[in-house]
Amino acid sequence: MVLRGVGPERVFQLGRLGIHTVGDLLLHAPRRYEDRRKFITIRELELGKSATVFGKIIAAGVKRLRGGARSVYEFVIEDGSARLHCRWWNLPFLERIFAVGDEVMVFGKPNLLKPRTMDHPETEKVEGGDDVTVHINRVVPVYPLTEGLPQRSVRSFLWRAVEEFAGQVGEPEPRLVPVGTVEQERKGAGESASLTPQIPGSPASFPTRAEALRALHFPAEIADAERARRRLALDEFVALQLEIQRRRQNLERNARAFPCGGDNRLMKPFLAALGFKMTGAQVRVLRELRADLAGPVPMRRLLQGDVGSGKTVVAAGAALMALESGCDVALMAPTEILAAQLHRNLAGWFGPLGIAVDLRTANHRQRAASVPLAVARPEAVRLSATDLAPSAAGEACRQDAGSTLGQRAASVPLAVARPEAVRLSATDLAPSAVGEACRQDAGSTLGQRAASVPLAGARPEAVRLSATDLAPSAVGEACRQDAGSTLLVGTHALLEDSVGLGKLGLVIIDEQHKFGVAQRETLLRKGRDGGRFPHLLVMTATPIPRTLGLTLYGDLDVTLLDEVPAGRGRIRTHVRDAAALPKVWQFVRSELEKGRQAYVVYPRVSESDRDEVKAVTKEFARVQQELSPHGVGLLHGQLRAEEKDLVMASFRAGTTKVLVATSVIEVGVDVPNATVMLIEDAEQFGLAQLHQLRGRIGRGAHESHCILVAEQKTDAAKARLKVLAETTDGFALAEADLRLRGPGELIGRQQSGVPEFRFGDLRGDRDLVELARALVRTHLRGK
Ligand code: ADP
Ligand code: MG
């Protein structure tokens, strides 16, 4: 099929716009519409207000400025009411395009009224031929262009394409969209309407795809173009939902999972040692997860919980169920800092249960295994060791721990080295041997925290869960053997080919919005074993507005963790301008003097020539000076992993009082003693991001303060920060952010996995997304 009148040069130019076929051309959506049935006169133009006028060129010419390096081309048009000057800088070739006597349409905003002037307006010459039907006297589409391609050519091509081909465009298969006349649409009374899911705000029927394409380009009224766009958007959403829901249906019909419901034998000691009581929501979610994990169909579940709601413990609980069932578990986090923190927490909880917790990031490739002491065996946890011979235990620790433990594993070596662990461990463990083992390993590899654990804890009185009959020899044996199931924690590095995963029962992804769907699928495929697929639990603290959620996570079941653990201090949010900084520093100092800690966040790592956005590396010295003598650490994404680890460890230990950081600390970081989050140049961040950053504080019992310092130059910037100060509801903020900045920005530019829609708009098309989902559901259920 060819389109009349499209020569080789135009073919090339259209190709640059991605248009290679008539089909592509029909989907080339107008940028805006102009009602050219009535023009205003030049006299009626108002300052700063966009409008289209129509007139004849009465004078034109190029003026050279500054010795010819710069130029301005200008023409003057007249329409009988007044004259309008139109100017273009440094586009002298325009001289060859327009001539005195040409009739032109000009669209723009007057920036002067004496004389009336527009700078760089859009223009279109009016010529003979089809002009009367296509380019004027109607609602006219205005298209995105490319160099050398005139507006009127594209419009003419589209006119012909619509005339000749739009009528041949059929309904997409399967035919799910209810079509009907505009009348039926308005009344909501299409014939098929009663069978179709009703979504509030959505019409009962839509134009056919052919009608929609026609109205998209040449609508009778501007409102018809929007109706057309919505039909085409719905087709996009339906196509996506078909893909998502078919994938899900496939999974449910064909894929089988390893049973991972567990039997509670690790869960009980885990909960007993936790040091706090689970919230009602955590318990409910864990129950729900257990039901999924025990089932034959691989779980596909999204856990949404606002910052600080305690998702990590829930993930740990789910992991335990799989581990109890003899399966391995992989947990993926978006940053090294977060992976290291998760690894530390989980090793702390699981080490005493004898579960190996490994860390795998770009910089931690070595196996940092926990030491499978006698307690390593699940059975052993319940029994634990009365008869554990001191010498054997010591020996076991020295051997394995000394040689294979990385820094991280420090938290694990001797179960009894940690307070939680002590409660689980052995009554008759002779203090001296424990002391010996701990001193040796702890001295060399344990971090500050573990090293300071008093040995007194090993006393029999302290032991809650203890046990009787484990033979000494079993200890060595257990050490030598693989401990059984492993929990592998890591970053994207987990996706590498070299990372082998054993019998992977469960994949957990923390802060899922930082990953793309493709990465999630890669990890799941890696765990595939014959016809079996791992269960999947993804977690996110960035509340995802529903349109985005259905689009990105439409194949997932959603669970809400809607309760924040009790005993948290309140968070106050303050918006200040830069002039208030001296007072702000004074306030931060007073918090530090009370023993609290603070984050100070800047938008950039290093300075840029382009703007004056503040950068951590530069501001670091200043913060040190302002807050001296308190210790200040520096953290950003360009540090080496070991440096990051050291900085975080020191902040966690309270040696460093203040952390100057970029948004690398945005996700996951958990230091309850921190009560101040000071963000400079706050207008540089998105609302959801600021909310995440604010979520780093208010994790302890003390009242916390989030201080947003910003030059609030525009009202919009002010309004945005005000929204944040007034609400702590993450969902409301996410909706606001989506409206203000769009989906790509909201969930991170890199691999957000947000599909590109030509017509769909996730900011406003919520009803269509819901409708598409319901239509596809009904359709697939019937099959
Ligand atoms: P997030 O949901 O943001 O990932 P975390 O899992 O990091 O939250 O939990 C935040 C803090 O709350 C951690 O220090 C964690 O140990 C603590 N926590 C979690 N659950 C509870 C609970 N039920 N009671 C008290 N503290 C809890
Ligand atoms: Mg978290």
Side-chain angles (χ1 to χ4, degrees):
M1 290 200 288
V2 291
L3 199 63
R4 279 178 297 118
V6 184
E9 190 189 352
R10 295 287 183 245
V11 166
F12 174 75
Q13 289 163 336
L14 290 169
R16 275 207 306 247
L17 291 171
I19 299 170
H20 305 284
T21 64
V22 172
D24 295 337
L25 188 62
L26 286 173
L27 295 177
H28 187 56
R31 193 155 54 75
R32 60 184 180 85
Y33 300 87
E34 238 174 68
D35 190 342
R36 291 187 181 167
R37 287 171 299 191
K38 180 173 175 296
F39 296 103
I40 64 163
T41 61
I42 292 175
R43 179 185 290 278
E44 291 168 305
L45 282 172
E46 289 174 44
L47 198 64
K49 223 169 137 190
S50 296
T52 306
V53 291
F54 176 49
K56 190 179 255 185
I57 299 181
I58 55 167
V62 175
K63 216 185 293 172
R64 298 274 159 196
L65 306 169
R66 293 216 205 120
R70 286 166 56 82
S71 70
V72 58
Y73 171 77
E74 176 169 341
F75 66 50
V76 182
I77 61 169
E78 186 181 51
D79 69 351
S81 76
R83 289 177 180 180
L84 174 69
H85 295 249
C86 300
R87 305 185 296 189
W88 290 264
W89 269 266
N90 302 322
L91 296 172
F93 66 85
L94 289 177
E95 197 176 17
R96 296 195 301 275
I97 295 178
F98 299 101
V100 170
D102 282 351
E103 292 194 307
V104 290
M105 275 172 285
V106 173
F107 170 80
K109 279 184 210 172
N111 46 330
L112 275 178
L113 285 184
K114 283 182 181 164
R116 291 182 176 82
T117 307
M118 283 187 192
D119 286 338
H120 290 254
E122 286 176 32
T123 57
E124 207 179 305
K125 270 204 273 189
V126 178
E127 290 165 7
D130 57 6
D131 272 14
V132 187
T133 40
V134 182
H135 304 283
I136 48 175
N137 298 325
R138 61 162 34 260
V139 174
V140 166
V142 179
Y143 294 95
L145 297 173
T146 180
E147 201 186 315
L149 186 63
Q151 186 62 250
R152 52 181 299 115
S153 301
V154 180
R155 192 179 301 123
S156 299
F157 297 156
L158 267 151
W159 176 265
R160 263 172 262 155
V162 167
E163 288 285 288
E164 288 177 38
F165 299 103
Q168 301 171 23
V169 172
E171 290 296 286
E173 294 294 335
R175 292 184 186 220
L176 304 186
V177 175
V179 296
T181 61
V182 173
E183 281 311 293
Q184 286 169 325
E185 259 176 67
R186 295 208 176 110
K187 276 195 276 175
E191 190 202 316
S192 54
S194 56
L195 306 174
T196 328
Q198 296 289 306
I199 302 295
S202 191
S205 66
F206 290 80
T208 63
R209 197 168 160 84
E211 285 160 6
L213 283 170
R214 189 178 288 279
L216 177 76
H217 296 288
F218 296 97
E221 297 294 335
I222 290 182
D224 295 335
E226 171 60 7
R227 237 187 325 271
R229 182 200 66 80
R230 281 170 52 85
R231 160 68 214 242
L232 299 170
L234 181 59
D235 285 353
E236 291 179 326
F237 295 139
V238 165
L240 182 75
Q241 287 296 327
L242 273 169
E243 192 187 312
I244 290 173
Q245 292 188 35
R246 276 185 182 140
R247 192 164 63 205
R248 177 74 195 233
Q249 194 175 54
N250 239 341
L251 183 88
E252 280 169 14
R253 289 194 177 158
N254 305 320
R256 287 296 160 260
F258 293 110
C260 284
D263 57 10
N264 262 334
R265 68 176 189 275
L266 296 174
M267 190 67 80
K268 280 192 181 140
F270 166 69
L271 294 179
L274 205 49
F276 52 75
K277 200 167 162 288
M278 292 260 186
T279 62
Q282 285 170 324
V283 171
R284 173 177 56 76
V285 171
L286 276 173
R287 270 203 202 112
E288 206 172 346
L289 293 178
R290 189 192 291 284
D292 279 1
L293 289 169
V297 175
M299 172 173 82
R300 293 289 176 266
R301 195 166 280 279
L302 168 68
L303 176 61
Q304 280 202 50
D306 215 338
V307 276
S309 55
K311 293 184 290 295
T312 315
V313 187
V314 172
L320 270 189
M321 294 171 196
L323 293 160
E324 282 172 346
S325 311
C327 289
D328 294 321
V329 176
L331 192 163
M332 185 161 74
T335 65
E336 289 197 25
I337 296 168
L338 185 52
Q341 176 184 288
L342 286 169
H343 176 259
R344 201 175 34 80
N345 285 342
L346 288 159
W349 287 326
F350 290 0
L353 306 178
I355 296 159
V357 182
D358 290 353
L359 177 65
R360 184 75 58 126
T361 67
N363 292 287
H364 289 264
R365 281 168 202 283
Q366 80 280 29
R367 198 178 141 90
S370 75
V371 175
L373 251 188
V375 279
R377 311 246 101 190
E379 316 85 79
V381 173
R382 277 188 304 182
L383 302 174
S384 185
T386 321
D387 294 337
L388 200 57
S391 61
E395 184 57 20
C397 287
R398 262 185 302 276
Q399 285 192 358
D400 274 18
S403 59
T404 60
L405 288 180
Q407 190 195 342
R408 287 293 149 205
S411 52
V412 199
L414 193 60
V416 284
R418 303 183 54 96
E420 313 88 279
V422 169
R423 284 185 284 179
L424 296 177
S425 76
T427 323
D428 289 341
L429 208 54
S432 65
V434 177
E436 180 58 19
C438 285
R439 231 166 288 128
Q440 291 204 355
D441 276 6
S444 57
T445 59
L446 285 182
Q448 192 181 349
R449 207 151 80 108
S452 60
V453 173
L455 288 167
R459 293 256 172 74
E461 314 86 80
V463 174
R464 281 219 313 229
L465 279 176
S466 72
T468 15
D469 21 47
L470 198 67
S473 61
V475 178
E477 187 55 26
C479 282
R480 249 160 278 132
Q481 282 182 6
D482 190 355
S485 308
T486 305
L487 170 60
L488 185 58
V489 181
T491 55
H492 305 79
L494 288 181
L495 302 172
E496 281 168 23
D497 281 342
S498 63
V499 179
L501 301 167
K503 183 181 161 192
L504 190 62
L506 170 65
V507 165
I508 306 175
I509 301 181
D510 197 10
E511 307 294 349
Q512 146 76 25
H513 57 287
K514 295 276 167 182
F515 293 101
V517 174
Q519 287 165 312
R520 172 177 110 194
E521 293 301 317
T522 306
L523 195 52
L524 286 175
R525 262 198 309 277
K526 282 190 75 147
R528 189 180 161 171
D529 180 0
R532 307 246 179 202
F533 283 78
H535 296 281
L536 173 72
L537 173 65
V538 305
M539 308 197 290
T540 182
T542 295
I544 306 292
R546 184 148 168 92
T547 50
L548 255 189
L550 290 177
T551 306
L552 285 174
Y553 309 127
D555 56 338
L556 303 179
D557 300 316
V558 179
T559 296
L560 284 181
L561 195 60
D562 50 6
E563 185 181 345
V564 172
R568 296 270 170 85
R570 164 156 96 114
I571 305 179
R572 291 163 173 276
T573 303
H574 320 268
V575 181
R576 297 283 179 267
D577 51 30
L581 267 173
K583 270 197 174 156
V584 170
W585 290 123
Q586 200 181 338
F587 174 76
V588 177
R589 274 196 300 274
S590 72
E591 283 289 297
L592 298 179
E593 267 137 39
K594 282 191 247 165
R596 304 284 86 77
Q597 288 170 274
Y599 298 97
V600 184
V601 173
Y602 295 94
R604 292 260 167 81
V605 174
S606 51
E607 287 198 304
S608 139
D609 297 335
R610 277 173 299 142
D611 52 40
E612 290 176 2
V613 173
K614 287 186 177 176
V616 266
T617 44
K618 167 116 186 298
E619 301 298 321
F620 178 52
R622 169 146 163 263
V623 177
Q624 276 181 313
Q625 204 181 350
E626 293 283 355
L627 300 179
S628 149
H630 301 287
V632 180
L634 173 65
L635 189 67
H636 57 76
Q638 290 173 18
L639 295 177
R640 289 204 319 274
E642 308 86 80
E643 292 174 295
K644 285 185 211 160
D645 286 350
L646 282 176
V647 173
M648 272 317 293
S650 168
F651 186 65
R652 210 163 24 237
T655 317
T656 300
K657 300 285 181 224
V658 181
L659 201 56
V660 175
T662 55
S663 60
V664 286
I665 57 156
E666 175 187 337
V667 289
V669 172
D670 183 37
V671 177
N673 191 43
T675 56
V676 177
M677 170 61 67
L678 167 58
I679 305 173
E680 285 209 56
D681 286 350
E683 73 280 2
Q684 298 287 323
F685 298 94
L687 283 181
Q689 211 177 5
L690 290 169
H691 179 63
Q692 284 280 325
L693 286 167
R694 177 168 63 180
R696 298 309 117 216
I697 55 171
R699 294 179 162 244
H702 304 281
E703 182 169 90
S704 291
H705 300 269
C706 177
I707 307 162
L708 307 170
V709 178
E711 291 300 348
Q712 300 166 53
K713 287 193 193 98
T714 64
D715 287 346
K718 260 184 230 169
R720 225 157 62 88
L721 295 179
K722 210 164 144 250
V723 171
L724 195 81
E726 282 165 5
T727 178
T728 50
D729 176 348
F731 279 93
L733 288 169
E735 294 277 356
D737 216 19
L738 178 66
R739 274 195 309 279
L740 290 166
R741 302 201 312 161
E745 290 291 317
L746 175 64
I747 55 177
R749 248 154 302 194
Q750 312 95 346
Q751 330 101 334
S752 60
V754 185
E756 294 270 331
F757 296 112
R758 231 180 236 272
F759 301 101
D761 177 5
L762 293 176
R763 297 169 199 227
D765 290 342
R766 173 164 170 178
D767 65 315
L768 295 179
V769 176
E770 301 268 12
L771 178 62
R773 181 165 126 117
L775 289 170
V776 171
R777 260 212 180 151
T778 315
H779 167 70
L780 288 182
R781 258 201 216 123
K783 285 181 76 178

